[in-house]
Amino acid sequence: MSTERRRNADGGRRRADGPDDGPRGDGGRRRAGGPPREERAGGRRRPDSEDGLRGDDRPAPRSRRARPPGDEARSEGRPRPEGGRRRAEGERPRRPDGERRRRPEGDGERPRRRPDDPRSRRPEDGDRPRRRPDDPRAGGRRRSEGPRDPRDREHGSRSEGRRSGGRGARAAAASGGRGGRGGGGGRRRPREDEPDDRPWFKRFLSKAWKPALAFCGLMIIAGVAAFAVLYAMAPDPEELEKNAEKDASATQILWAATGDAEKGEVALTTGEVQRVAIQREDIPEEVVDGVLAAEQATFYEDPGINIKGIGRAILSGGDAGGGSTITQQMARNYYSDLDGDPPLTRKIREIFISIKLGQKVPPDEILTTYLNTIYFGRGASGIEMAAQKYFGKSVSELDRAEGAYLGIIIQMPSNFENPEPDSWTANYLDKERWPYVQRQLAAMYENTGGERGLPEAEAQQLEVPDSIIPYEPEADLDDPRQGYIRQAVINEVERRYSERNITGADIATKGLVIQTSLDPDLMTAAEEAFDVLPESAADDTMHGLTAVDPSTGEIVAFNGGPDVSTVINNSLVHQTQAGSAYKPYVLARALADDIGLRSQFNGDSGLEFPGLASPVINSGEVDYGEVDLIQSTADSVNTSYVDLAIKVDPGRVDELAVEMGVHPDRQTTSQVGPLVALGTHQVNALDMASGYATFAAEGRHFPAHMVTQVTTADGEVIDPDDEAELESGTEVISQAVAADATYAMQQAVLEGGAKEAALSDGRPVAGKTGTSSDAVSAWFVGYTPQLSASVGLSRAQGDPLDFGPEIGDVFGGTTSAKVWKAFMEVAMEGQEHQQFPAPQWVGEDQRFLPTPTPSETPEETDEPSDEPSETPSEEECVPGEPGCDVEESPEDCHWMDPDCNNEESPDPDECGSWPLPDCEDDEEPNPGVPPPGSDQSNQANSNNSLIRPRD
C-alpha cells in the first residue's frame, strides 16, 4: 500500500516519526525533498520570493492574518475533529478541547515560533506573497504566475470545490471532507446540496412563478375569448327593437277552485296598466337628478354596467345594492328576448346586452326608454302616469322633491305605493332611502362640478313631499276585502318566488294568473264572525282571524280589515301579545323531553323563580296546590307553566314554536326567558293558526301560504322556492306528542276557560285561550282535525280592550272564543265529524314539587306531648266534627272542580272520545262572572305584566 493510500485509510495524514524531545513542526503534510521538520515554524511555508526560489532577497515580513478557529487549533497542537489527522507514533498528545496551551516557562519547551526564523514574523506592509504555481505545497488547482486579486478568492474557492480527483481531494475526503487552505484540493459540497436559508415564500416564488405566469396568461386569454364570444352573441339594438313593444297586461288573482274545477273564479285583477310615453325634453332635469340619485348616480359615466356596483353587491350579499344599472333594468324590462331564461343565464345576457347598448345607444335615449317603461306602482307604468297617480299633475310640473320621491319608488313599487304610517315601509322610506338620496344628490353635485345634483346644504334641506295623493285602488270601491288580498298575494309571490325573480312589477304588467286557496264564503264568514261582539267596542279594535288547512298549510280565509288604504292588515301583519295561547308550545317541548302529562307541579300563586324579580301570580291569586299538566293547561295555571318553561329551557321553547309555524322575527319582540310561557312575545293571527295547525296535523308542519300556483301568460307553470317542503311537510314533533298535547287542550274546551268555543254539533275541539295583562289582547286559538283557526283581539295603539258593560272584564274565553265558534260553525258545516287520536301518555310521570323542610328539632317530635293540641292536625281531624276545618268532600265531585278535595283524578282513559261523558260539567257559570279557576279568571294576568308584587 502506498504512503498516500495508507494515510487516507487511517482517516487523515500521518505525521512522520521524529524525536520526542525535538522541536515539532506545524503538523503540515510532509513533502518529498522538503526541508527537515525542525526548520519549519509550525505553519505553512510562504514563498521566499515571487518566483518561489529561496534566496537572500525575501519580501518584507507582514503581519500574519488571523486564522480560523479550526486552523488555530491545528497550529497549537489541539486535537482534530473525528476523521482528521491521526497522531504519529511517539508524538506528544494534544491538550483537550477548550484548554489553552500554556506559554513555555523554560527553554525545555519548543517555542511556538522560532525567533530566528524570519518567516515567523508577519510582513509589515504589503499583501501576503503568493505561492508559486508549481509549489507542491499549494495543493489544489495551480494558478498562473503573478499575484491574484483578493476579490477572486471566493470564486476560486468555489471553483476549486467543484473539481474532482487529485491527491488533495482524496486526502480531504479521507479526513472528513475538510481540506486545508491551499492544500488538499478537497471537493466542495454541490450547490444543490447546500441548505437554502431563504424564506419559504421566496423559495416558493422561485419555483412557482413560471407556472403561475403561464396559468394567468391562459386565463386572460380564455377570459378575453369568452368575453368576445358573449359580446358577439348579444343581439344588437336593431335586432331587439322588434321585441321591444310588449303589450303590458294586468295579472289575474283567482279564488280557490271548487268541486272538480281546475281554477277558481277571478277574485280581482291588479288593475288596468296605464302608460303614456314622453320625450326626453319633457322630463325636467330636477326629476332626472332625483331618479339618478336613487338608482344610479354615475349613469352618464358608466359603460352600460357598473363594475364597482356589481362587485359591491357581490361582496355585501346584496346589502349595498343589487348592482344593476339603469341600462340593465331597461334591457330586462324592455326586451322580451330575455324572458324565460334561467336567472344566471338571464343575468349574463343582460350584462352583455347592456354593454352593447351602452356603446351603440345614446345615454339620453336609454334613460328616456327606461323612464317610459319602468313600473311605479298604483298601476302606473312610466313616469308620466306615475306623476299623475301620485301627485295629480304632469311630470313636467314636478319639483325636485317629487322627482326624488318617484325615484325612490322604483326600488319597491308595490310597498311604496301607499306606505302606512309607522309601518316598516314608511320608516324605511323616511329613515334610510330618503337620506340616501340626499347624500347622492350632494355627491353628484361635487363630482360633476355643479352640473347635476344639489349642494350639500340644499340637499339636506330637501324633505319628503306632502303632496302625495292618498291611494284608493279601484277594486276596493266594490269590495273592501280585495285590497288586502291583492297586497297579501303580491307580498307572498315576491317572497316565495324570489329565485325566479318575480317582482311586483311583473305581477302588475306581465299578465300572470295566480291561483289562491282563499274561499270567498269563508272570507265573508271571517269578517262577519266579529258581529257576535257588542257594538259598543272601541272603534280601533283590531279583528284578527286566520284559518289554515293543517294537511296542506293553505290559508283558506283571513280578515284583513275595513279599509286597506287606512288600516293595516289585522290578521297577517298586525301583532299583539300572545298571552297564555303560547303555553301549548311549552307543553309540546316538555312532552318531547319525556315529561308526561301526569307530572306534578306546584300550582300555588305567588311563587318565586330564579331570574325573576317578582313572584308569579295566578289569576285571582288562586292556589291550585299540586297540579298536573292536564289541569295546568285547562285552568291555565301560570306558576306551574313558568316552572315547566324553566325545566325545558325557554330558548328551546321558542325554537320549537318557530319550527311549528311562528315567524322567527316574533322572538325579538320581547326578552327570551321563563315568562315566554305567559306569552310575552307579540304574534299575529297567521303565526298562531299555522303553529296550532301542526298539532292538528299530528306533528307535521306545512308552511302557511295562500298562493297555490303561478302561471305565465303563455301557460307555463312557475314552481315556488319551497315546492319540496310543501309536498311532504316537515315532522316537527312526534304523533304521540301531538296527541297528548291535543288531549290537554281538549280539556281546556271541556272543563277550562274555553267552553264558549265548543261547537254545537259536538265535534271535537282543542284549543287554548290567552289574555294579556290589563286586557291589552285576547286570544283563542283552536282546531278540529280538518281546520286550524286563530282569533286575536287588540287595539291599534295597544290600549286595553273595551266592549262596554255587556262584556265587563275582557278575557279570551268570553270574547275571542265566541268569535272563533261563530266562524267555525260556518267553516265546518257539512264537514265529516273526525276524531282526534287518543292520548299516548308519552314520557314519565315526574314530580317537580318542593321538598318539605325538615323540622328544626326532629328529636322533639318523638317525645309525647304532655298537653293535648288545641287544634287537631289534618291527620287527626275528622270532617264534620267540631273544631275541624276540613270539609267533607262529596264522593261524586269532579276532579277538575277547584272545590273538590279528591286527591285522585280519574283515569283519562275513562273519559273516552269526544264528547267525554265522565268529564262533563252540568253547572253553568254565572253570566258575566268567570268561575273560580277557569281560564277567564286566570287570563287577567296571563302575560308578561302578570308578574306583580304581593298584596
Side-chain angles (χ1 to χ4, degrees):
M1 180 182 296
S2 65
T3 304
E4 185 67 24
R5 292 181 61 187
R6 186 166 52 252
R7 291 171 181 168
N8 295 340
D10 293 338
R13 291 187 295 270
R14 301 179 63 90
R15 178 178 299 173
D17 296 337
D20 296 338
D21 54 352
R24 295 175 178 266
D26 62 348
R29 188 179 56 200
R30 188 166 187 176
R31 291 186 298 275
R37 178 173 58 180
E38 58 273 9
E39 294 184 7
R40 291 192 294 245
R44 296 190 186 94
R45 289 184 178 272
R46 296 186 181 89
D48 297 328
S49 63
E50 292 184 359
D51 57 0
L53 300 177
R54 285 182 174 271
D56 297 332
D57 298 329
R58 296 178 179 177
R62 61 169 181 166
S63 60
R64 183 179 178 183
R65 183 180 303 172
R67 296 184 180 182
D71 294 343
E72 187 69 20
R74 288 192 297 270
S75 65
E76 294 178 356
R78 297 176 184 172
R80 296 176 58 87
E82 184 178 355
R85 182 176 61 86
R86 299 185 61 180
R87 179 163 52 90
E89 183 178 356
E91 187 179 6
R92 296 181 61 182
R94 297 176 181 267
R95 296 182 179 273
D97 291 342
E99 182 176 350
R100 298 183 59 183
R101 186 172 181 176
R102 298 179 180 178
R103 186 179 299 273
E105 299 179 356
D107 297 333
E109 292 285 338
R110 179 180 61 84
R112 180 178 298 178
R113 301 282 185 184
R114 300 180 63 179
D116 57 346
D117 191 349
R119 290 174 297 175
S120 62
R121 297 189 302 270
R122 295 182 180 274
E124 297 180 358
D125 54 1
D127 292 337
R128 184 177 181 180
R130 304 283 184 178
R131 290 180 177 173
R132 294 176 302 177
D134 56 348
D135 192 341
R137 292 174 297 172
R141 188 178 62 180
R142 296 181 179 274
R143 285 180 253 168
S144 59
E145 296 183 1
R148 186 175 180 182
D149 193 333
R151 291 174 296 180
D152 296 333
R153 292 175 181 173
E154 177 66 20
H155 176 73
S157 63
R158 291 182 180 271
S159 302
E160 195 69 27
R162 285 193 293 267
R163 292 184 55 190
S164 60
R167 186 177 61 181
R170 290 192 300 269
S175 61
R178 295 184 57 183
R181 180 179 175 182
R187 181 197 303 263
R188 287 184 58 86
R189 181 187 301 172
R191 293 182 61 88
E192 57 269 17
D193 294 339
E194 294 180 358
D196 194 343
D197 57 354
R198 294 177 298 173
W200 67 268
F201 59 90
K202 289 187 177 180
R203 297 196 303 270
F204 173 79
L205 291 177
S206 65
K207 297 181 180 180
W209 70 270
K210 289 183 179 180
L213 182 61
F215 177 78
C216 292
L218 293 176
M219 292 298 295
I220 293 174
I221 295 174
V224 172
F227 182 89
V229 171
L230 293 174
Y231 183 84
M233 293 176 59
D236 292 328
E238 296 78 10
E239 300 175 17
L240 293 169
E241 191 63 30
K242 60 183 178 180
N243 296 324
E245 297 298 332
K246 299 187 297 183
D247 294 332
S249 58
T251 291
Q252 294 179 326
I253 299 176
L254 310 181
W255 293 116
T258 58
D260 298 333
E262 296 181 358
K263 295 183 178 180
E265 298 180 356
V266 177
L268 73 156
T269 63
T270 55
E272 182 182 357
V273 179
Q274 304 175 48
R275 177 185 293 125
V276 176
I278 58 175
Q279 302 300 319
R280 174 64 177 85
E281 54 269 17
D282 297 329
I283 308 174
E285 294 302 321
E286 292 81 3
V287 175
V288 172
D289 288 348
V291 172
L292 296 184
E295 287 295 299
Q296 185 186 359
T298 57
F299 165 73
Y300 282 98
E301 290 78 27
D302 293 334
I305 60 173
N306 188 336
I307 303 298
K308 292 182 179 179
I310 295 175
R312 184 171 58 250
I314 295 174
L315 295 177
S316 65
D319 294 338
S324 293
T325 63
I326 287 177
T327 306
Q328 290 177 253
Q329 295 181 59
M330 188 274 286
R332 180 169 59 247
N333 296 323
Y334 192 59
Y335 298 122
S336 61
D337 187 73
L338 293 173
D339 292 346
D341 290 336
L344 180 59
T345 303
R346 183 174 63 248
K347 193 68 176 179
I348 294 175
R349 296 193 63 200
E350 173 189 309
I351 290 175
F352 282 92
I353 291 175
S354 301
I355 295 175
K356 185 168 288 189
L357 289 175
Q359 294 178 346
K360 297 188 177 183
V361 180
D364 282 336
E365 183 178 342
I366 293 176
L367 182 61
T368 304
T369 305
Y370 170 76
L371 293 177
N372 277 331
T373 56
I374 200 71
Y375 181 68
F376 286 87
R378 297 191 178 186
S381 184
I383 196 167
E384 172 62 26
M385 188 54 61
Q388 298 181 18
K389 288 288 187 178
Y390 284 91
F391 303 105
K393 50 188 175 182
S394 175
V395 66
S396 60
E397 302 174 9
L398 297 180
D399 59 24
R400 189 175 292 276
E402 293 168 343
Y405 186 85
L406 291 182
I408 291 176
I409 291 176
I410 295 174
Q411 186 186 61
M412 293 189 295
S414 299
N415 291 351
F416 289 153
E417 65 182 7
N418 191 44
E420 300 169 358
D422 298 327
S423 64
W424 176 89
T425 304
N427 292 332
Y428 176 70
L429 190 152
D430 295 338
K431 298 179 181 180
E432 295 190 32
R433 289 297 293 168
W434 191 258
Y436 172 80
V437 170
Q438 290 176 318
R439 294 192 299 270
Q440 290 296 97
L441 285 171
M444 288 172 57
Y445 183 86
E446 182 179 353
N447 295 334
T448 61
E451 182 180 353
R452 297 195 176 279
L454 282 175
E456 185 175 0
E458 297 182 22
Q460 294 300 323
Q461 295 177 359
L462 203 64
E463 297 180 355
V464 178
D466 55 3
S467 56
I468 303 173
I469 300 174
Y471 180 47
E472 296 181 1
E474 292 79 357
D476 296 352
L477 300 178
D478 299 330
D479 191 342
R481 299 172 301 173
Q482 294 184 351
Y484 293 102
I485 295 173
R486 174 181 176 274
Q487 191 178 66
V489 167
I490 291 175
N491 291 338
E492 182 177 322
V493 170
E494 288 182 327
R495 174 176 55 85
R496 294 181 53 226
Y497 291 80
S498 61
E499 294 183 3
R500 300 304 300 268
N501 199 32
I502 298 180
T503 64
D506 298 330
I507 298 172
T509 62
K510 290 192 174 181
L512 304 177
V513 178
I514 301 177
Q515 179 68 60
T516 71
S517 56
L518 300 175
D519 188 315
D521 295 333
L522 295 184
M523 290 289 290
T524 301
E527 181 183 357
E528 296 178 350
F530 293 91
D531 293 342
V532 300
L533 299 175
E535 296 181 357
S536 58
D539 293 337
D540 64 342
T541 302
M542 309 292 285
H543 297 162
L545 189 155
T546 305
V548 175
D549 184 346
S551 62
T552 60
E554 295 176 357
I555 302 172
V556 299
F558 70 91
N559 179 58
D563 188 355
V564 69
S565 63
T566 59
V567 180
I568 193 174
N569 193 312
N570 287 204
S571 303
L572 308 183
V573 179
H574 177 68
Q575 302 173 22
T576 187
Q577 288 182 328
S580 289
Y582 209 80
K583 287 178 179 176
Y585 302 124
V586 184
L587 176 63
R589 179 74 273 167
L591 292 172
D593 291 350
D594 293 331
I595 300 177
L597 285 177
R598 296 191 182 100
S599 297
Q600 298 293 311
F601 290 83
N602 186 356
D604 289 340
S605 181
L607 298 182
E608 296 181 353
F609 296 96
L612 299 181
S614 302
V616 177
I617 309 298
N618 290 331
S619 177
E621 299 188 7
V622 178
D623 292 332
Y624 291 93
E626 295 184 10
V627 293
D628 58 16
L629 294 182
I630 300 174
Q631 183 181 358
S632 296
T633 305
D635 290 341
S636 197
V637 181
N638 295 324
T639 51
S640 59
Y641 257 100
V642 170
D643 191 12
L644 181 62
I646 295 175
K647 295 292 190 301
V648 299
D649 185 359
R652 297 177 65 236
V653 172
D654 277 348
E655 292 175 0
L656 180 61
V658 170
E659 293 176 358
M660 294 182 70
V662 177
H663 196 281
D665 289 348
R666 312 299 180 247
Q667 319 307 322
T668 62
T669 58
S670 69
Q671 184 177 1
V672 177
L675 297 185
V676 299
L678 308 182
T680 56
H681 294 326
Q682 293 185 359
V683 295
N684 59 37
L686 175 60
D687 294 323
M688 302 304 286
S690 178
Y692 278 53
T694 305
F695 289 117
E698 301 182 15
R700 187 167 292 275
H701 173 68
F702 295 84
H705 63 285
M706 68 179 69
V707 176
T708 58
Q709 188 180 79
V710 176
T711 308
T712 65
D714 299 332
E716 178 188 357
V717 177
I718 304 175
D719 296 327
D721 304 341
D722 55 355
E723 180 184 13
E725 190 176 357
L726 290 176
E727 289 182 357
S728 58
T730 303
E731 183 177 338
V732 178
I733 55 177
S734 66
Q735 293 181 345
V737 169
D740 284 2
T742 297
Y743 177 79
M745 284 186 277
Q746 283 181 269
Q747 312 312 311
V749 179
L750 279 175
E751 301 294 339
K755 294 180 180 179
E756 293 288 350
L759 298 180
S760 58
D761 60 3
R763 70 176 64 239
V765 173
K768 185 72 184 71
T769 57
T771 311
S772 63
S773 64
D774 300 326
V776 171
S777 62
W779 288 88
F780 179 76
V781 189
Y783 54 95
T784 65
Q786 297 103 317
L787 189 65
S788 171
S790 65
V791 176
L793 297 172
S794 60
R795 296 181 65 179
Q797 302 302 324
D799 298 324
L801 291 167
D802 184 9
F803 294 99
E806 185 175 347
I807 295 293
D809 293 338
V810 177
F811 301 102
T814 59
T815 55
S816 300
K818 293 180 179 180
V819 177
W820 187 90
K821 177 180 179 179
F823 171 77
M824 292 294 287
E825 293 278 5
V826 177
M828 300 310 298
E829 184 177 359
Q831 299 291 325
E832 178 186 358
H833 282 229
Q834 296 183 5
Q835 300 294 325
F836 290 120
Q840 301 299 306
W841 309 108
V842 298
E844 300 179 359
D845 297 337
Q846 307 179 44
R847 291 179 61 85
F848 298 98
L849 299 173
T851 303
T853 304
S855 174
E856 297 181 358
T857 55
E859 63 278 1
E860 296 180 1
T861 60
D862 297 333
E863 299 179 1
S865 176
D866 297 336
E867 298 181 0
S869 174
E870 297 181 358
T871 303
S873 63
E874 292 186 2
E875 291 77 4
E876 301 172 350
C877 178
V878 178
E881 293 185 358
C884 182
D885 295 331
V886 179
E887 297 180 4
E888 183 176 2
S889 59
E891 296 179 357
D892 57 349
C893 72
H894 196 274
W895 68 279
M896 294 293 292
D897 189 348
D899 298 329
C900 181
N901 293 326
N902 286 344
E903 296 180 357
E904 297 181 358
S905 60
D907 188 349
D909 293 333
E910 298 177 1
C911 293
S913 61
W914 192 289
L916 307 178
D918 297 336
C919 300
E920 292 181 350
D921 189 356
D922 297 333
E923 296 183 3
E924 293 291 334
N926 295 332
V929 180
S934 67
D935 189 70
Q936 286 95 323
S937 62
N938 195 26
Q939 288 295 341
N941 294 318
S942 61
N943 209 328
N944 60 330
S945 55
L946 180 142
I947 308 304
R948 298 176 177 175
R950 297 176 182 269
D951 292 339

